[in-house]
Amino acid sequence: MTHYSFIPRGVCSKKIDLDIDAEGRVHNIEFLGGCNGNLKSIASLCEGMQAEEVVKRLTGITCGFKPTSCGDQFARNLAAALKEA
């Protein structure tokens, strides 16, 4: 399992931690800061999901008048990590 830590930009959360297993599934997703209940929900729903599917589902989601969201930042950083792997 490979651990990743991301620093999101333009959103309320300050850090996103997660692991990706050998089959490309995400696990142990944790957000620091942000809307606690919403981010716990995102983490729970994405647990065990293929990383590519997380990217597909969450990329482009906005929050209020912001051009991004915590979910979008999760997806964008995850996509970048997958390209580097």
Side-chain angles (χ1 to χ4, degrees):
M1 208 161 318
T2 305
H3 181 78
Y4 293 93
S5 290
F6 307 124
I7 304 300
R9 295 176 181 255
V11 296
C12 298
S13 63
K14 303 296 181 207
K15 185 178 176 187
I16 305 168
D17 287 305
L18 64 105
D19 297 317
I20 300 177
D21 69 18
E23 287 79 36
R25 293 183 301 250
V26 294
H27 299 281
N28 308 315
I29 306 157
E30 293 184 9
F31 289 83
L32 177 64
C35 302
N36 190 36
N38 290 336
L39 297 176
K40 283 180 183 176
S41 297
I42 289 172
S44 179
L45 290 168
C46 293
E47 178 66 28
M49 188 181 289
Q50 288 291 323
E52 292 88 2
E53 185 65 19
V54 172
V55 171
K56 178 181 167 186
R57 290 180 183 220
L58 298 182
T59 299
I61 294 175
T62 59
C63 181
F65 295 106
K66 297 176 185 178
T68 189
S69 67
C70 293
D72 180 59
Q73 288 294 299
F74 173 31
R76 289 173 185 259
N77 282 287
L78 186 55
L82 292 172
K83 285 182 183 177
E84 292 177 9

